[in-house]
Amino acid sequence: MDIFGLIGPASFYGFMAGILVLAVLTVTTRNLFHSAIFLAFTLIGVACIYFFLRAEFLGGVQILLYVGAIMTLVIFAIMLTAKMGDPSIPQSNRQRLPVFLALAALAFLLVPQIVKTSWKVVESLKTTSAVELGQALMSEFVLPFELISIVLLAALIGAIAIARSDQ
Amino acid sequence: MLPLSHILIFTTLLFLIGLYGVLTRRNVVGILISIEIMLNAANINFVAFSASLDVSPQIGQVFVIFIIVLAAATASVALAIVLSIYRNQKTIYTDEIDLLKW
């Protein structure tokens, strides 16, 4: 069953606009805790984009890992460090306007190039299953798969070593 | 089927929003949150390209899995560093952490 046929492209555009609004709220909200909550909704929206693009396994992984694990970490860090509820502390530095102008110029540079490029798209959306993904991980990508497990182990040990207190 | 260029414009804007957050936030945790948005924009690009260009669709999705794993590793190590800095310096604002500046 095609989700596209069900909802139509117009609602898809509305969906993407909603994600952009949530992302803007994430980077501009003063309260960092609210920012983390907006980030969670942005990530759920991205997972829905994966479902629209027929990458169901990635959508599940996105919700489990990003919304589940990384958000918990971020909220823990905010609660352990930030002094919330003090509106007199500025949450952004003084380069807001120049950064905004530079990024707007970058967007005006990039978007026409994206429109002008003739992408060699195929007619139908190409899909894959979790089984094929697992086979690709175990055959073609087995070396990066093993390497990333070493990276994860190193990150685990490093995080514990850095974050534990000295006494 | 949605045109590929529309998805690319969407991810470009998402990436630039994340970059704005990275460049303007004072709080280190806020910068990390913005970096997650940038990584997600790149991930959507991978999935969109692999779904609509003439390549094997597994390749893009495997790359996205690797990026998600690396993002999790980055987040854990970075938040450990943030906790350590907060314990030693009593601040997590980037302009107040100036021990190595002269």
Side-chain angles (χ1 to χ4, degrees), chain A residues 27-28 30 89-96, chain B residues 20-21 23-27 93 95:
Chain A
V27 298
T28 53
R30 296 184 58 88
I89 304 174
Q91 285 295 328
S92 57
N93 55 21
R94 283 188 301 276
Q95 48 195 0
R96 252 186 306 186
Chain B
Y20 175 83
L23 291 175
T24 56
R25 281 267 187 208
R26 282 180 73 218
N27 197 316
Y93 292 114
D95 46 0

Side-chain angles (χ1 to χ4, degrees), chain B residues 27-97:
Chain B
N27 197 316
V28 181
V29 183
I31 293 176
L32 279 172
I33 288 175
S34 310
I35 288 177
E36 301 297 337
I37 293 180
M38 291 167 71
L39 287 170
N40 268 284
N43 281 351
I44 299 175
N45 257 9
F46 270 116
V47 176
F49 274 130
S50 75
S52 53
L53 292 191
D54 194 13
V55 290
S56 152
Q58 285 96 26
I59 296 178
Q61 302 208 6
V62 166
F63 266 84
V64 172
I65 292 175
F66 286 150
I67 292 177
I68 290 178
V69 172
L70 285 178
T74 314
S76 61
V77 174
L79 293 174
I81 292 173
V82 168
L83 283 186
S84 180
I85 289 175
Y86 183 71
R87 204 176 290 138
N88 291 317
Q89 301 274 311
K90 296 282 170 279
T91 178
I92 50 165
Y93 292 114
T94 45
D95 46 0
E96 292 170 4
I97 305 168

Side-chain angles (χ1 to χ4, degrees), chain A residues 12 14-20 22-23 37-53 59 62-63 66-67, chain B residues 10 14 40 44:
Chain A
F12 192 76
F15 203 77
M16 295 202 292
I19 293 177
L20 286 181
L22 280 172
I37 301 298
F38 284 129
L39 175 71
F41 283 111
T42 312
L43 295 176
I44 291 173
V46 171
C48 295
I49 295 265
Y50 290 155
F51 285 123
F52 285 140
L53 291 171
Q62 168 94 3
I63 290 179
Y66 262 114
V67 186
Chain B
F10 162 68
L14 198 60
N40 268 284
I44 299 175

Side-chain angles (χ1 to χ4, degrees), chain A residues 147-159, chain B residues 73:
Chain A
L147 276 179
I148 207 128
S149 56
I150 296 177
V151 169
L152 263 186
L153 183 66
L156 184 70
I157 296 172

